[in-house]
Amino acid sequence: MTADIVPESLAEAGPIPTDESPITEARRVGPLFQPTHPLALAPVSAPPHSVDGFVREFLRELNTGQGVALSRSSVNDQYLALARTVRHYLMARWLETLKHNRSSKAKTVGYLSAEYLLGRQLGNALLATDLNDVAEKALAACGLDLPTLRAQEVEPGLGNGGLGRLAACFIDSLATMSVPCIGYGIRYEYGIFRQTFVDGRQVEQPDTWLALGGPWEFPHPEAAVEVEFGGHTETYDDNGTERTRWVASWNVLGIPYNYMVPGYQNGRVNTLRLWSAQATKAFDLAIFNSGDYAEAVRAQTFAENITKVLYPEDSTPQGKELRLQQQYFFVACSLRDFLEQNLEEDFDLHHLPERIVFQLNDTHPVIAVPELMRILVDEKKLDWDEAWAITSKCFAYTCHTLLPEALETWSVELLGRLLPRHLEIIYRINDEFLEQVREAYPEDELRARRMSIIADYPDRSVRMAFLATVAGTKVNGVAELHSQLLATKVLPDFSEFFPDKFTNVTNGVTPRRFIKLANPFLSGLITDTIGVGWVTDLDRLAELEPYAEDEDFRRAFRKAKEQNKTRLYSLLRTRDGIDLPDGHLLDVMVKRLHEYKRQTLKLLHIVTLYDQIISGRVDPTTILPRSVVFGAKAAPGYRMAKDTIALINAVAATVNADKRVGGRLSIAFPANYNVTLAEKLIPAADLSEQISLAGMEASGTGNMKFAMNGALTIGTDDGANVEIRRFVGDDNFFLFGMLEPEVAELQASGYQPSKLYEEDADLKAAIDLIASGAFSGGDRGTFEPVVSNLLYQDRFMALADYRSYLEAQEKVEKAYVNKEAWTKSAILNVARSGYFSSDRSMRDYLGRIWGASPDH
Ligand code: NBG
């Protein structure tokens, strides 16, 4: 088939809405519209799963959707048409899932997350529908190339890092496990910034991910929800009962944008619903007629600002008014959406906990707790106690940090101004909670103060983690060590008071995206060896274990690794103009740039190797050829992190250009690390750097992705590294550094980094080399802040772990030389990483936290 399909005439358009059109609630569950036409009674069906069928659909989309003939179409036209074609194949499943949900009334997981770092959608949709081969052939028949079209997609970067990516993995697993779930979040117009380097320094560019069209989203402006802000509260007499109402002073509309979340080849498609803010009256006639056009437009811009941009902070909340607006905006929309669209009209709210559990992904959505109380008490007119009995069964809270500065608080002043009714509700929740505390510990007023949701010092503020802990049925950390430290160090009073609330669910990652999609070479080998079942049952990777002893399998495994390297190097060449040599150990450190993650420790290792070579202490031909790849974004306002990026780039430029190194060391820092790049980098890596200070990384999830793709980890006893090491075995993991209790001890005894510098000649030489200006054209000032920070502060104790890190790297060098033994270890990493599937995380949440189950 080659001829373009003649566009069909446009279906008759419905009435065009005017400014006066009311917001309809047409989608409301209730008496359903009864179609009479026989065609409308039949369920929508997917197009045929054949090359011809696909070609026909694709050309129809190109012609009637994009309005172009194939011969005149751009790559973007082709990509959009392809995306919409694949969408068609998912549509029947989506509508079927929605219909099933309505009738089954199974308990739903409402995943509330301010971030979803989704990654590209097309590849995943092709995988979910098993259409990859069909699409490839169909496009080839049209003279097009699938990888080229896939590369056209701009990933939705609606998250900062691990927390947002975790949310994306979780909703993928829930769909694959047929669990009813709605992901709720924010449709940022600009996601995480695009990182570029100018003279080695990070420069942020806006992420215009929607500029060329968003084929994966379904906007429903007619189903908009109103969200109020500001104003005051007042009491009134309601037939003898005193009630409170909130008289807000301004409002905005939340427009839902629906995204499909396809399960893996299981016929289920869940929904991700992201909210976009819009002014209540897009065109304010009154202001316009008064001649103040500028004012009318200003009001609109003000409202739309709420969902304009993702805060590019990771691990530190920005205490910005707009951020609180974002948080309340999306949870208010989401709660209303669930209550009004997913429950029957006559639903008895006392049974709400049987139908929904809202998972609070960190503290960002915690304002949902007082919002549900407000709805139940003020709007639905339930008693306070009844409302609390319901609310305190509808939420569970996940904490993702151990850094004290990352625990979110809101000033009472701001909360009272923006959400006066919510502040009152929080006060009452706190009063009743503290009453219980005082009852349990009558003589301990200090404890009551420590546990108060409202802090008095340094400013009056609301501690969102405390509120979440009081309200949640469960509180979980994200790895064993983290959950333990959460209970003993971050929230010790609470874990004593609510011993049954605290639990652990170790994070996981989806094997669909991070093995099957990202690593077709390894996936093919696994499937050829143990069959297809592993994709949805990752424990089956254990069946690979005996093959570690099989020479042919090891050869095939190495070949897959080589293919991944070739693919990566060719990408880096075209994407970044970076050339990496073949035959090196590929050593990768990719994650947000943060002092606690210790990119500077990795850098000290590189500078030490370099210094040993140029000072003649080591013959370069005796060191293991190694390529180090960094990927990291720094929060725009985080000086030290940005200086570290500049230093990495400066070291890379110097080392790569120095003939004395003889090409034995190569350093690359491709800009703009994101999910798309991760999918190419991780499968190619030999060595995974997970070197945070023990007790600082809540879990890490990159560490899991590397292990399951056959990289060995060099890592501290931190976060999920602890569990990874336990599973893969000490012999297949390079452990170094202080243990968490040792860190605490050193901290308590007065840590002096400058002493370590004086005592270790290699360390001193490396730091001196940086300080000398060797990497900054002789200018000693450029990296002075990094150097002083290391010598006089070093909050995350890079110097204390330096020697141990170097020794572990020496073990890596020795181990890598023995190809067969290394490959064996790499295979065992894959075979023993089944536990780190996010499907297992979801089973843990389902069984121990949510009380929900698959609904087939
Ligand atoms: C991050 C932690 C990671 C963890 C992810 C997902 C935040 C606040 N926390 O260690 O730093 O893997 O959450 O749980 O982004």
Side-chain angles (χ1 to χ4, degrees):
M1 182 174 348
T2 48
D4 289 356
I5 290 166
V6 180
E8 294 167 14
S9 67
L10 283 172
E12 220 187 326
I16 295 176
T18 66
D19 292 333
E20 258 47 68
S21 301
I23 305 290
T24 66
E25 292 200 356
R27 224 165 299 279
R28 222 196 129 81
V29 178
L32 285 176
F33 169 64
Q34 290 302 327
T36 48
H37 193 285
L39 278 181
L41 291 172
V44 57
S45 59
H49 239 263
S50 65
V51 173
D52 272 359
F54 198 96
V55 169
R56 201 184 304 275
E57 279 301 311
F58 171 70
L59 291 177
R60 194 199 308 278
E61 277 301 337
L62 200 58
N63 296 161
T64 65
Q66 284 305 105
V68 289
L70 177 58
S71 57
R72 310 288 293 171
S73 60
S74 65
V75 176
N76 198 56
D77 287 325
Q78 295 154 10
Y79 159 68
L80 291 174
L82 174 60
R84 292 211 186 85
T85 302
V86 180
R87 237 169 62 165
H88 280 190
Y89 286 85
L90 286 167
M91 196 55 77
R93 306 178 189 193
W94 199 16
L95 299 184
E96 199 47 52
T97 302
L98 291 168
K99 188 168 150 205
H100 180 79
N101 286 352
R102 270 198 298 272
S103 60
S104 92
K105 301 184 182 155
K107 187 168 181 177
T108 298
V109 176
Y111 201 78
L112 296 178
S113 179
E115 301 189 10
Y116 290 90
L117 196 46
L118 295 169
R120 284 181 177 159
Q121 297 299 289
L122 177 56
N124 192 53
L126 285 169
L127 184 66
T129 46
D130 198 15
L131 274 169
N132 199 69
D133 292 350
V134 168
E136 192 144 31
K137 291 190 183 116
L139 291 171
C142 298
L144 303 175
D145 171 49
L146 176 57
T148 308
L149 301 199
R150 276 177 60 177
Q152 182 67 16
E153 180 172 357
V154 181
E155 72 168 69
L158 310 183
N160 273 290
L163 177 146
R165 183 53 235 176
L166 187 78
C169 284
F170 282 4
I171 59 176
D172 175 272
S173 281
L174 289 171
T176 295
M177 294 161 72
S178 293
V179 175
C181 166
I182 308 174
Y184 285 115
I186 300 174
R187 178 184 178 273
Y188 301 104
E189 202 177 319
Y190 297 91
I192 183 70
F193 62 84
R194 200 162 61 80
Q195 179 191 52
T196 57
F197 296 137
V198 175
D199 296 331
R201 298 199 71 87
Q202 169 176 300
V203 172
E204 301 90 24
Q205 311 260 349
D207 163 49
T208 52
W209 69 288
L210 290 162
L212 292 178
W216 303 103
E217 56 181 27
F218 294 79
H220 283 287
E222 80 293 345
V225 171
E226 230 174 74
V227 181
E228 306 194 298
F229 290 96
H232 62 274
T233 63
E234 55 193 33
T235 50
Y236 67 101
D237 178 73
D238 180 33
N239 294 325
T241 310
E242 190 188 78
R243 294 195 184 280
T244 305
R245 70 175 149 233
W246 174 20
V247 186
S249 56
W250 56 282
N251 59 9
V252 298
L253 288 181
I255 313 288
Y257 282 69
N258 295 335
Y259 296 73
M260 302 184 197
V261 184
Y264 175 73
Q265 302 180 4
N266 69 343
R268 189 173 181 104
V269 179
N270 279 343
T271 301
L272 170 65
R273 185 158 298 145
L274 304 181
W275 299 95
S276 176
Q278 212 177 70
T280 347
K281 289 181 195 153
F283 201 67
D284 191 329
L285 258 186
I287 301 177
F288 183 62
N289 287 342
S290 77
D292 200 346
Y293 175 72
E295 179 55 27
V297 174
R298 200 198 58 78
Q300 192 172 331
T301 312
F302 177 77
E304 287 167 9
N305 267 343
I306 293 182
T307 52
K308 188 66 83 186
V309 61
L310 167 79
Y311 275 92
E313 307 297 323
D314 183 69
S315 297
T316 46
Q318 276 264 337
K320 289 276 170 62
E321 183 161 348
L322 189 59
R323 190 164 170 122
L324 181 57
Q325 287 173 12
Q326 290 184 333
Q327 296 183 352
Y328 178 63
F329 167 77
F330 101 86
V331 300
C333 289
S334 307
L335 290 196
R336 174 147 313 202
D337 177 76
F338 186 80
L339 296 176
E340 293 188 356
Q341 307 295 326
N342 291 66
L343 299 173
E344 306 74 66
E345 204 133 10
D346 57 355
F347 184 77
D348 176 358
L349 287 166
H350 293 93
H351 295 286
L352 190 60
E354 293 152 39
R355 294 289 289 277
I356 185 78
V357 52
F358 288 111
Q359 186 64 34
L360 303 166
N361 197 28
D362 221 278
T363 50
H364 319 142
V366 171
I367 196 72
V369 170
E371 171 65 359
L372 182 58
M373 284 301 286
R374 186 191 68 79
I375 293 171
L376 296 178
V377 174
D378 296 359
E379 291 183 7
K380 308 290 181 189
K381 306 197 168 177
L382 265 57
D383 283 355
W384 176 273
D385 291 344
E386 275 178 306
W388 182 248
I390 297 168
T391 300
S392 58
K393 289 195 198 84
C394 285
F395 293 97
Y397 161 53
T398 307
C399 175
H400 293 265
T401 191
L402 282 163
L403 296 177
E405 68 264 34
L407 291 174
E408 205 165 30
T409 59
W410 291 111
S411 85
V412 162
E413 184 280 322
L414 170 61
L415 235 164
R417 181 156 46 80
L418 213 55
L419 301 167
R421 180 59 180 143
H422 298 76
L423 183 62
E424 286 177 4
I425 291 171
I426 292 169
Y427 266 105
R428 177 147 177 205
I429 294 173
N430 193 40
D431 285 347
E432 299 196 352
F433 168 62
L434 290 184
E435 210 171 288
Q436 292 171 31
V437 174
R438 291 193 178 103
E439 214 165 278
Y441 301 94
E443 303 298 319
D444 199 350
E445 187 50 30
L446 221 62
R447 179 185 296 259
R449 277 186 182 216
R450 282 203 307 270
M451 296 179 77
S452 173
I453 295 169
I454 311 286
D456 283 326
Y457 183 83
D459 299 306
R460 284 216 124 196
S461 56
V462 180
R463 302 195 262 220
M464 301 307 271
F466 288 15
L467 177 56
T469 304
V470 171
T473 52
K474 293 281 176 187
V475 176
N476 77 286
V478 288
E480 280 172 17
L481 175 64
H482 174 236
S483 295
Q484 179 213 320
L485 296 173
L486 184 65
T488 55
K489 298 210 161 161
V490 183
L491 299 168
D493 294 321
F494 288 88
S495 65
E496 198 183 320
F497 192 76
F498 299 119
D500 299 336
K501 269 196 194 191
F502 283 74
T503 184
N504 171 61
V505 178
T506 298
N507 283 167
V509 303
T510 170
R512 268 73 64 188
R513 181 175 291 272
F514 289 106
I515 307 181
K516 183 87 173 122
L517 198 59
N519 199 342
F521 306 116
L522 180 62
S523 299
L525 178 62
I526 299 174
T527 301
D528 288 348
T529 312
I530 62 170
V532 292
W534 61 274
V535 180
T536 49
D537 181 5
L538 208 63
D539 288 334
R540 290 191 51 188
L541 289 181
E543 294 166 30
L544 289 173
E545 186 143 353
Y547 291 90
E549 301 299 333
D550 177 331
E551 207 180 315
D552 291 339
F553 185 83
R554 285 203 300 269
R555 195 171 311 113
F557 188 91
R558 271 199 300 276
K559 183 169 171 217
K561 191 54 84 186
E562 283 310 312
Q563 286 171 311
N564 283 317
K565 285 189 184 175
T566 306
R567 185 181 67 156
L568 172 70
Y569 295 168
S570 125
L571 175 78
L572 292 181
R573 216 166 290 132
T574 49
R575 182 189 186 270
D576 304 273
I578 292 173
D579 252 314
L580 287 180
D582 291 328
H584 282 200
L585 170 128
L586 184 62
D587 175 353
V588 182
M589 180 161 192
V590 286
K591 47 187 76 253
R592 281 299 286 253
L593 202 311
H594 202 292
E595 285 163 275
Y596 84 79
K597 296 179 187 277
R598 303 199 295 189
Q599 278 90 355
T600 20
L601 180 57
K602 174 76 247 173
L603 206 54
L604 285 173
H605 170 231
I606 295 169
V607 173
T608 300
L609 291 176
Y610 178 60
D611 178 63
Q612 287 171 342
I613 295 170
I614 61 170
S615 68
R617 300 206 299 287
V618 169
D619 174 357
T621 58
T622 64
I623 72 163
L624 179 79
R626 181 194 292 252
S627 293
V628 184
V629 178
F630 289 91
K633 290 181 183 178
Y638 188 175
R639 271 294 304 273
M640 192 49 63
K642 292 181 113 173
D643 284 351
T644 305
I645 287 181
L647 179 56
I648 297 173
N649 277 322
V651 169
T654 307
V655 173
N656 292 344
D658 195 326
K659 295 266 181 310
R660 290 171 291 182
V661 177
R664 309 290 285 192
L665 265 184
S666 235
I667 299 142
F669 193 166
N672 202 41
Y673 176 64
N674 58 8
V675 178
T676 305
L677 184 57
E679 288 170 22
K680 294 287 192 314
L681 257 172
I682 293 170
D686 296 307
L687 187 65
S688 156
E689 299 273 352
Q690 308 301 335
I691 62 178
S692 52
L693 175 64
M696 291 295 154
E697 187 71 88
S699 162
T701 44
N703 47 4
M704 304 169 182
K705 295 166 199 165
F706 280 102
M708 58 180 67
N709 280 282
L712 274 60
T713 305
I714 182 162
T716 46
D717 203 53
D718 197 17
N721 292 356
V722 177
E723 290 149 84
I724 292 176
R725 186 166 65 95
R726 191 191 315 138
F727 275 96
V728 306
D730 286 344
D731 295 345
N732 308 303
F733 187 109
F734 300 95
L735 176 71
F736 75 96
M738 293 176 288
L739 305 181
E740 189 279 327
E742 293 169 336
V743 171
E745 212 171 287
L746 183 55
Q747 239 143 21
S749 69
Y751 174 56
Q752 283 182 299
S754 54
K755 240 177 109 194
L756 295 167
Y757 158 86
E758 294 296 347
E759 285 164 7
D760 189 321
D762 285 321
L763 176 60
K764 184 166 187 307
I767 293 182
D768 287 349
L769 194 61
I770 297 170
S772 73
F775 304 111
S776 41
D779 178 12
R780 294 162 162 270
T782 314
F783 298 118
E784 195 278 325
V786 180
V787 170
S788 313
N789 184 46
L790 281 178
L791 288 182
Y792 306 114
Q793 195 172 8
D794 194 20
R795 179 175 165 206
F796 299 101
M797 301 180 159
L799 303 201
D801 278 343
Y802 168 84
R803 184 46 57 188
S804 155
Y805 181 52
L806 247 57
E807 285 164 7
Q809 287 288 6
E810 278 162 22
K811 286 189 194 140
V812 169
E813 298 203 5
K814 291 209 178 75
Y816 193 69
V817 175
N818 185 343
K819 285 266 170 286
E820 295 299 338
W822 182 280
T823 310
K824 218 189 255 183
S825 283
I827 293 167
L828 291 179
N829 266 269
V830 177
R832 296 174 180 175
S833 59
Y835 181 78
F836 301 101
S837 165
S838 45
D839 300 348
R840 189 271 314 148
S841 305
M842 293 299 88
R843 281 195 298 277
D844 286 354
Y845 276 96
L846 288 167
R848 290 195 276 116
I849 298 181
W850 294 334
S853 44
D855 180 34
H856 296 284

